[in-house]
Amino acid sequence: MSLTSAAAGVVLVHGFTGSPDDFGALPDRVRAGFASPPVVAIRLPGHDGSGAPTFETDAFLSAIAEAAERFRAEGRDLVLVGHSTGGTLALAAVARHGLEPRLLVLASAPNRVDGESLSRWNRQSADAETVSLTSVARMVSLVNETGLRPVDRPYPVLLLHGEADALVPAGEVDAWRNRFAGPVRTVLVPGAGHDLFRGAGGAFALDAVTRAIADAAHPATPEETDAVARLAIAEPEVARFLAQSPFSARHLAGSPSCALLTGRTPDLTPEFHTEPVFANIEITTRCNLRCPFCARTPSSRPDAEMPPERFGRILDLLPHAYRITLVGLGEPLLHPDVASMVATASGRGRRVALATNAMALTPEISRRLIDAGLDAVAFSLDAVSPETAARVRPGTAVDTVLDHIRAFGEIARGTRPVGTAVFSAVSIETAPFLESLVETVATLGVDVLMLSDLNFPGNLSHTLWNNGCEALKKSVHGAVRRAFELKLPVLSVSGLEEFAQPERYREHLLLPPARLYNRSARQRYCFSPWQTIPVAVDGTVTICDCRPDESAGNLLDSPFADIWNGAAMTGHRLRMVSLPPPEPCAICPRF
């Protein structure tokens, strides 16, 4: 990722007995993106290689403050990165010298030192035998004092830690997380030990820190500021998100959907320089239905569930994903921790939605989800007659589903607003009964009904697009007309990724009704690979929700840049805007 200006200065602080070399390629990676070299990798006093250094707290902190002051004098913001005890020193310098970092990165930083951790240091440090006991005592004292001190200033913090760090165990990030008043993000580097930037996992660590610095250093342009201000007016939840994730503004502004909202032309280049603002996360592959038209039916993936800890890690790896939707090949309500996962995402300022068949949506679950912070829910319902439902959604108990949807609405109305929609995939089997579906949905109290033709090549023989006769088209037109008579808005799927959907819903009303079964020969509505990231239960990213078997990499073990702008994603983006588009796109109702 390229940094486009020198709006910030970066100070790198190595640990006691370490050297600037411990940051590996990080200085060059950062310098390569700036208009001038704004990186200072300071060498702590006494660390010139001439002998065992002594731990001189005052001298170390002064060296950090002097580097920061040079940047302040140049009008730059400060990004402070500390590795190992360099993280302790960076944090101590902030407290002693009143530094105001725009971003603080603590990489493999110890939160405390006890007898066991000191033994680990003695075993692993090449200088342990020559460092004086006085220096060790000073180091331990500063680490423990700094690790216990709460930080009440609200600057953002990135905690970076190696999963296999034998010197400072990864569990110490949990102790750090609660020390800060500002937004805190944790990234665990797969396979990495204490030597984060040069050893195993180095590419992952370099990517994570470089991206974080890019975000912190980016000076907002007037166009971005205006776009985000207009977005926050149209969708007030954005302000809550930006309070938790202040560096996400440029990513929101750069997304195609924000461009549409603010009257700009979306950027649809193959290599995309802002990160996803929507994430569709699959928390389980288990399902209680056996729908023949679902992508899960031909899939050979085994039943699996995402552990809550992995869910939290994925959120941290996707810091700009403002909207989180729990959706995938499984039914999210079958996950025993679904409510706590909603609470986790909501607690980080995200707007949280889920898609459900409502079979497991008991009143108790409804209350837990609403209390957890759920913002929106889409109920999948394709038929209201038991006979038709048995064919297109085997396992559905229609009366149970309808009761659950009504109960959810009543609970939400008595608690707090939650957006509700019924999503129906219309096929040649269900189109003749669409008006009956409309009349039932109109009694449920939902905000909208969203209709889609079937997707996926395997369903072509059942789509309205490929098989629509005049009788079926007449059924569709009559049903849509009836919905509007009942004051039930009917939307097409073209607005699935829109911002400010209530404000812009007229853009996506199913008028004329033929929008349901027509297709476009070129990309028009779908911006998914430029702004949405689908994440499977194991952390695998697919190029599109419609292509669940085409992997672009795994978030948990690959550098993000290699996924988001790797060959799979950039190739897919290029093909989407080319003629002819890929077959799955050409037959997709959203395209």
Side-chain angles (χ1 to χ4, degrees):
M1 178 171 293
S2 176
L3 309 183
T4 57
S5 78
V10 182
V11 175
L12 307 178
V13 186
H14 65 77
F16 182 52
T17 75
S19 80
D21 293 340
D22 295 341
F23 290 100
L26 183 61
D28 291 337
R29 287 276 294 268
V30 175
R31 288 189 185 106
F34 280 100
S36 59
V39 182
V40 172
I42 64 173
R43 185 179 293 277
L44 294 175
H47 288 67
D48 56 6
S50 60
T54 56
F55 198 92
E56 301 289 349
T57 303
D58 292 344
F60 293 169
L61 302 191
S62 294
I64 297 169
E66 288 170 9
E69 173 59 25
R70 289 201 297 273
F71 288 138
R72 190 199 65 78
E74 296 172 0
R76 302 181 191 272
D77 289 324
L78 172 65
V79 174
L80 198 51
V81 182
H83 175 250
S84 191
T85 46
T88 302
L89 294 168
L91 193 53
V94 167
R96 177 177 293 188
H97 294 281
L99 306 182
E100 294 288 346
R102 185 163 169 79
L103 172 69
L104 174 67
V105 181
L106 301 182
S108 297
N111 181 260
R112 63 191 179 280
V113 176
D114 54 18
E116 182 181 346
S117 52
L118 193 58
S119 296
R120 291 195 299 269
W121 184 77
N122 284 327
R123 289 194 301 270
Q124 296 191 40
S125 173
D127 300 298
E129 293 184 1
T130 56
V131 172
S132 70
L133 288 177
T134 300
S135 287
V136 172
R138 290 173 180 166
M139 177 186 71
V140 171
S141 176
L142 185 67
V143 169
N144 289 340
E145 176 188 344
T146 304
L148 288 172
R149 184 190 303 124
V151 180
D152 57 6
R153 282 179 287 174
Y155 50 77
V157 177
L158 171 63
L159 303 173
L160 192 76
H161 221 96
E163 281 189 309
D165 191 335
L167 183 58
V168 183
E172 297 219 7
V173 297
D174 295 329
W176 276 124
R177 239 193 139 109
N178 298 322
R179 294 282 184 264
F180 299 97
V184 180
R185 187 161 67 91
T186 299
V187 171
L188 295 181
V189 182
H194 196 66
D195 193 4
L196 268 182
F197 300 103
R198 300 182 300 178
F204 193 102
L206 288 168
D207 173 76
V209 175
T210 303
R211 287 167 47 224
I213 293 174
D215 287 333
H218 178 78
T221 66
E223 184 180 61
E224 290 169 349
T225 301
D226 177 68
V228 172
R230 292 171 64 182
L231 175 58
I233 292 171
E235 195 159 317
E237 300 98 327
V238 166
R240 183 173 75 99
F241 172 61
L242 290 175
Q244 294 268 5
S245 185
F247 302 140
S248 294
R250 76 182 183 99
H251 299 278
L252 288 166
S255 67
S257 285
C258 187
L260 283 183
L261 178 68
T262 54
R264 295 172 290 136
T265 301
D267 175 10
L268 300 182
T269 52
E271 187 170 338
F272 203 62
H273 294 291
T274 59
E275 297 184 16
V277 295
F278 304 146
N280 295 337
I281 303 179
E282 175 188 75
I283 62 173
T284 181
T285 58
R286 295 192 298 123
C287 191
N288 47 8
L289 302 185
R290 303 176 303 281
C291 306
F293 304 134
C294 178
R296 184 178 185 275
T297 301
S299 173
S300 59
R301 291 169 58 194
D303 289 352
E305 288 180 346
M306 179 181 288
E309 177 271 337
R310 184 184 301 162
F311 181 73
R313 285 184 64 182
I314 287 170
L315 293 180
D316 277 333
L317 290 169
L318 301 173
H320 313 299
Y322 155 62
R323 280 194 198 163
I324 302 296
T325 302
L326 306 185
V327 66
L329 295 190
E331 165 54 52
L333 298 190
L334 296 185
H335 197 299
D337 297 303
V338 60
S340 69
M341 294 163 103
V342 169
T344 296
S346 180
R348 300 188 192 185
R350 315 299 178 98
R351 185 179 186 277
V352 191
L354 62 81
T356 176
N357 59 42
M359 284 286 289
L361 189 67
T362 63
E364 179 188 355
I365 292 292
S366 294
R367 289 189 187 91
R368 288 170 54 199
L369 291 171
I370 293 167
D371 290 343
L374 187 69
D375 294 295
V377 59
F379 307 110
S380 298
L381 182 65
D382 297 342
V384 292
S385 94
E387 296 77 17
T388 307
R391 292 198 305 273
V392 298
R393 296 180 71 80
T396 298
V398 174
D399 288 343
T400 298
V401 168
L402 298 178
D403 287 345
H404 285 171
I405 295 174
R406 290 190 182 98
F408 182 93
E410 290 172 3
I411 295 167
R413 283 188 290 275
T415 309
R416 61 177 184 79
V418 178
T420 55
V422 166
F423 181 93
S424 183
V426 186
S427 65
I428 58 174
E429 285 82 2
T430 61
F433 312 103
L434 188 55
E435 186 164 334
S436 176
L437 174 74
V438 162
E439 291 178 340
T440 299
V441 171
T443 70
L444 298 178
V446 297
D447 298 323
V448 298
L449 169 63
M450 183 171 285
L451 300 181
S452 173
D453 199 356
L454 292 180
N455 201 353
F456 307 117
N459 292 332
L460 268 179
S461 61
H462 299 270
T463 63
L464 298 180
W465 170 60
N466 203 43
N467 304 278
C469 65
E470 288 306 312
L472 289 179
K473 293 177 181 178
K474 186 175 180 180
S475 295
V476 169
H477 285 239
V480 172
R481 182 173 60 251
R482 180 60 177 149
F484 288 116
E485 289 173 356
L486 295 170
K487 302 188 184 321
L488 173 65
V490 182
L491 304 184
S492 77
V493 289
S494 60
L496 272 176
E497 294 184 347
E498 279 273 12
F499 283 120
Q501 289 160 326
E503 179 179 300
R504 289 177 51 81
Y505 81 96
R506 293 181 183 277
E507 302 278 338
H508 305 286
L509 287 173
L510 202 61
L511 294 174
R515 292 181 70 175
L516 178 62
Y517 48 79
N518 288 341
R519 296 292 190 275
S520 173
R522 60 172 64 240
Q523 184 275 337
R524 184 177 179 188
Y525 294 111
C526 180
F527 300 119
S528 181
W530 290 273
Q531 63 185 19
T532 302
I533 190 163
V535 186
V537 72
D538 64 352
T540 296
V541 172
T542 56
I543 63 172
C544 178
D545 289 299
C546 303
R547 315 277 281 277
D549 296 322
E550 297 190 38
S551 170
N554 189 296
L555 275 179
L556 302 174
D557 58 32
S558 299
F560 179 82
D562 292 353
I563 296 174
W564 191 237
N565 280 313
M569 288 299 296
T570 57
H572 178 53
R573 292 183 192 124
L574 180 60
R575 289 188 295 273
M576 271 192 68
V577 296
S578 302
L579 290 177
E583 182 193 8
C585 294
I587 67 174
C588 178
R590 295 171 54 189
F591 184 65

